[in-house]
Amino acid sequence: MIEWLVGYGVGKALDIGIQVAKKHVSQWRKTGCLDEVTTHSQNHDFSHQIGNIDVVVSGLDHKLDAIFKEKSLPDSIRASIAEPNLTELSELIKAGQIQQALTCAQRNIDAIDAALKADPGPNNIYVETLRSHRQRLLFGAASLASWQGDIEAGLIFWFRARNLGPIDPEFHEQAVITLFNVGLKDEFRILVDQIDPESEVYRKIAAPCLAYLNEDWSTVDQLLNDVRSADKLLLRVEARLQIIDFHDVEAVKLTAELLDQTDDDTVLPVINLIRAQLTLDQLKRVITEYTPLEYDRRSLIDSLVDRINVALETTKPDSIFRAQALVCLSMATG
């Protein structure tokens, strides 16, 4: 099961994409046109891009739900937020159909925007009523887009959400995940400062993300000690590769076992790619740092071959992820 997908790569890989994307976001702020500036980031380095996504959008938030049940909204707006649209979106996300989910989210966002443009209500009351709901959809779209490598679109979706107004604390969790995905580190830190350190959102999501941003690898390893989802396991492996002594056979074995635990999750191409890349990294370190021969290199080599094949089989031919998988294959055979 995939719980969340983090929009940062090894080291500062994504920072390059963020800087390029900011030019397009600036243009969008001037033109207000998403389509003109949304481009897939073919030239960005997304090696080891672990993602963080927890898009829970089925059902209305309780404030909007109450108004919806009171039937105080115009029919056009009620139709734009009615089921089964939200259920469809959540099911697509659960199934790992990310492009379809993004298309679905965009369709829902456009429908709501059109309804509100036609009838914003007295003193924009309908706009305010749907603020959190629209933000949730935009958060989801931002995460989905950036996870696919389209950082420009991810940033634009985020700024659209932020520009709607304050974020309800009830939805800080999704906002934190989204900021981490789109790589806005300063805004991420500002939002995290507003969250109770004793809360579950802080302990389970914000704290590991913050430790990752601070390159506090030991803390990342510790905080993710009991995780089970493939994306979090890979994040933990990423951290362990920075800190373990490769002469410590047991530490090397544990790191390899964590990778093994992700092998059943092959639905999402990016997870398959990251798994292969991290396996290659571990193998290179085992060889170059002279891990004792009692460690079985053959099993790691076999896993690398299998994982590269899975990555190649599940990535689209013209995608950034296929390019990265081919780079991984070239490095493994070079």
Side-chain angles (χ1 to χ4, degrees):
M1 176 181 176
I2 301 300
E3 294 182 10
W4 35 278
L5 298 166
V6 184
Y8 276 89
V10 158
K12 302 296 184 293
L14 194 54
D15 286 343
I16 300 170
I18 296 297
Q19 296 306 314
V20 174
K22 283 181 177 177
K23 294 192 304 181
H24 299 293
V25 173
S26 177
Q27 179 187 344
W28 168 78
R29 284 174 161 173
K30 293 177 182 178
T31 65
C33 181
L34 178 64
D35 291 337
E36 290 182 7
V37 299
T38 302
T39 58
H40 290 279
S41 308
Q42 298 294 335
N43 296 321
H44 299 168
D45 179 6
F46 290 96
S47 58
H48 294 200
Q49 186 177 347
I50 300 173
N52 176 339
I53 226 170
D54 189 5
V55 187
V56 182
V57 292
S58 73
L60 309 176
D61 65 78
H62 65 88
K63 296 176 183 176
L64 182 57
D65 189 42
I67 298 172
F68 189 83
K69 290 178 180 178
E70 291 173 5
K71 300 183 179 180
S72 59
L73 294 172
D75 289 343
S76 60
I77 293 178
R78 289 171 59 81
S80 73
I81 61 176
E83 298 285 10
N85 290 341
L86 295 177
T87 298
E88 177 190 2
L89 177 54
S90 289
E91 290 303 316
L92 287 170
I93 293 168
K94 291 176 183 177
Q97 298 179 31
I98 302 305
Q99 181 55 55
Q100 295 91 326
L102 180 57
T103 300
C104 180
Q106 180 70 71
R107 183 176 67 245
N108 291 347
I109 291 165
D110 290 344
I112 295 171
D113 287 351
L116 290 175
K117 184 177 181 180
D119 186 2
N123 298 317
N124 286 327
I125 183 62
Y126 303 147
V127 174
E128 177 57 25
T129 298
L130 268 68
R131 172 171 52 84
S132 291
H133 182 68
R134 295 166 74 197
Q135 286 176 326
R136 293 170 69 199
L137 285 171
L138 288 162
F139 291 155
S143 291
L144 291 163
S146 61
W147 174 71
Q148 291 192 106
D150 196 341
I151 305 303
E152 293 90 344
L155 286 169
I156 289 170
F157 282 127
W158 163 259
F159 284 118
R160 285 177 63 182
R162 193 190 67 176
N163 290 345
L164 292 178
I167 300 169
D168 191 314
E170 183 179 351
F171 305 114
H172 275 171
E173 175 179 349
Q174 196 176 358
V176 165
I177 290 170
T178 305
L179 277 172
F180 195 56
N181 283 335
V182 299
L184 293 174
K185 293 184 284 189
D186 291 341
E187 292 202 27
F188 173 87
R189 295 178 193 278
I190 290 171
L191 181 59
V192 168
D193 284 343
Q194 301 173 30
I195 300 174
D196 180 3
E198 299 301 320
S199 69
E200 185 174 354
V201 171
Y202 188 94
R203 290 184 292 103
K204 292 191 174 182
I205 296 176
C209 292
L210 193 59
Y212 189 90
L213 289 182
N214 293 334
E215 299 184 2
D216 185 353
W217 306 119
S218 294
T219 298
V220 173
D221 185 36
Q222 179 183 355
L223 291 175
L224 299 180
N225 183 56
D226 60 351
V227 299
R228 294 293 180 266
S229 64
D231 47 351
K232 293 180 183 179
L233 284 167
L234 292 174
L235 192 63
R236 186 182 176 199
V237 169
E238 165 74 24
R240 288 183 59 81
L241 290 177
Q242 309 297 320
I243 59 175
I244 66 171
D245 178 0
F246 275 82
H247 292 99
D248 183 342
V249 174
E250 292 306 313
V252 174
K253 283 183 178 179
L254 173 57
T255 306
E257 289 168 1
L258 293 173
L259 279 168
D260 292 343
Q261 292 175 33
T262 72
D263 278 332
D264 289 338
D265 285 294
T266 58
V267 173
L268 300 177
V270 67
I271 293 295
N272 299 333
L273 172 62
I274 298 162
R275 182 190 298 113
Q277 290 175 319
L278 291 175
T279 305
L280 176 60
D281 275 1
Q282 180 168 9
L283 180 59
K284 288 166 59 180
R285 298 283 298 279
V286 164
I287 294 171
T288 60
E289 298 186 28
Y290 303 104
T291 298
L293 293 176
E294 63 184 275
Y295 176 70
D296 181 11
R297 289 157 171 76
R298 174 52 56 186
S299 62
L300 192 59
I301 293 170
D302 291 343
S303 294
L304 175 60
V305 172
D306 291 341
R307 290 164 184 168
I308 291 176
N309 285 334
V310 170
L312 289 171
E313 290 170 0
T314 56
T315 52
K316 294 180 179 179
D318 59 348
S319 69
I320 185 65
F321 300 129
R322 170 60 65 86
Q324 290 293 329
L326 289 171
V327 169
C328 189
L329 176 63
S330 175
M331 295 177 67
T333 57

